[in-house]
């Protein structure tokens, strides 16, 4: 359920931040429904994805988390499962092109509007920097933190949509990625 996943990711962001929140939001549900191997994956270990990889501002942890989830569920390209790699690429493109955040939590931790910006990049520092400039808010502000929690939830929601389409045989790639 994409909506349930997004709510889980939003709340998990405040515990483990972006990448681990995306991973936890999907795998916590699969732990209950499927069991192994999802019960053995230490999702909290992915907290290092925060801030574009331990605070370095590289690829957004939400994107990295989505790629980890897609490749663990479907399989990496080296296993002949192109869809895991393709979904990861689709997520990076979607994140880059979509005004974020998309998701609106049922009970937001920060009341009021969180403006949307388009990153035009999968990188954390670009995405957050554009938002901070447009919003006039500093990095440590509650609004920026909530924005990132909502972005993680938005990514988790869209990832589950793509994974559901893949499972149902309806997945169609949207990015320009090609194996090779």
């Amino acid at each position: 359920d994409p909506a349930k996943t997004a709510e889980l990711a939003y709340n998990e962001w405040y515990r483990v931040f972006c990448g681990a929140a995306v991973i936890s939001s999907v795998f916590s549900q699969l732990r209950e429904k499927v069991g192994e191997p999802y019960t053995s994956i230490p999702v909290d270990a992915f907290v290092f994805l925060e801030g574009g990889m331990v605070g370095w501002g590289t690829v957004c942890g939400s994107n990295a988390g989505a790629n980890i989830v897609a490749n663990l569920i479907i399989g990496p390209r080296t296993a002949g499962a192109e869809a895991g790699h393709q979904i990861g690429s689709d997520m990076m493109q979607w994140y880059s092109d979509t005004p974020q955040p998309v998701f609106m939590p049922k009970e937001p931790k920060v009341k009021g509007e969180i403006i949307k910006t388009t990153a035009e990049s999968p990188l954390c520092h670009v995405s957050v920097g554009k938002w901070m400039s447009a919003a006039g808010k500093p990095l440590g502000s509650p609004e920026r933190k909530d924005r990132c929690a909502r972005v993680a939830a938005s990514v988790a929601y869209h990832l589950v949509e793509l994974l559901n389409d893949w499972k149902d045989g309806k997945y169609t790639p949207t990015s320009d990625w090609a194996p090779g």
Side-chain angles (χ1 to χ4, degrees):
D1 176 5
K4 179 179 180 181
T5 304
E7 285 290 340
L8 287 168
Y10 174 77
N11 289 303
E12 275 289 87
W13 185 94
Y14 284 93
R15 188 178 74 82
V16 292
F17 308 108
C18 49
V22 171
I23 295 166
S24 178
S25 69
V26 175
F27 288 169
S28 65
Q29 295 176 82
L30 290 174
R31 282 178 173 169
E32 293 175 13
K33 293 179 183 179
V34 177
E36 285 296 340
Y38 304 104
T39 54
S40 296
I41 296 171
V43 297
D44 288 4
F46 294 100
V47 72
F48 74 90
L49 297 172
E50 176 214 357
M53 203 74 69
V54 294
W56 277 73
T58 62
V59 69
C60 170
S62 296
N63 287 319
N67 273 271
I68 289 167
V69 168
N71 278 274
L72 284 173
I73 290 175
I74 298 171
R77 185 170 73 142
T78 57
E82 300 294 336
H85 205 78
Q86 181 67 56
I87 285 175
S89 180
D90 289 354
M91 289 302 304
M92 301 274 275
Q93 190 70 57
W94 177 84
Y95 176 95
S96 298
D97 295 343
T98 304
Q100 296 285 356
V102 174
F103 175 74
M104 176 61 174
K106 290 178 184 173
E107 296 181 29
K109 303 218 185 302
V110 172
K111 307 301 182 210
E113 182 183 359
I114 301 290
I115 69 162
K116 295 181 179 189
T117 54
T118 304
E120 299 175 334
S121 169
L123 300 178
C124 172
H125 78 279
V126 173
S127 178
V128 172
K130 283 187 176 188
W131 183 86
M132 287 177 7
S133 179
K137 301 287 183 182
L139 184 63
S141 71
E143 294 85 0
R144 196 281 308 159
K145 292 174 183 178
D146 205 62
R147 177 261 182 199
C148 287
R150 293 178 192 203
V151 168
S154 301
V155 167
Y157 187 103
H158 188 61
L159 172 63
V160 169
E161 288 180 316
L162 295 180
L163 289 171
N164 286 342
D165 285 350
W166 170 77
K167 183 180 177 279
D168 294 340
K170 297 187 273 182
Y171 169 67
T172 303
T174 57
S175 72
D176 294 334
W177 175 85

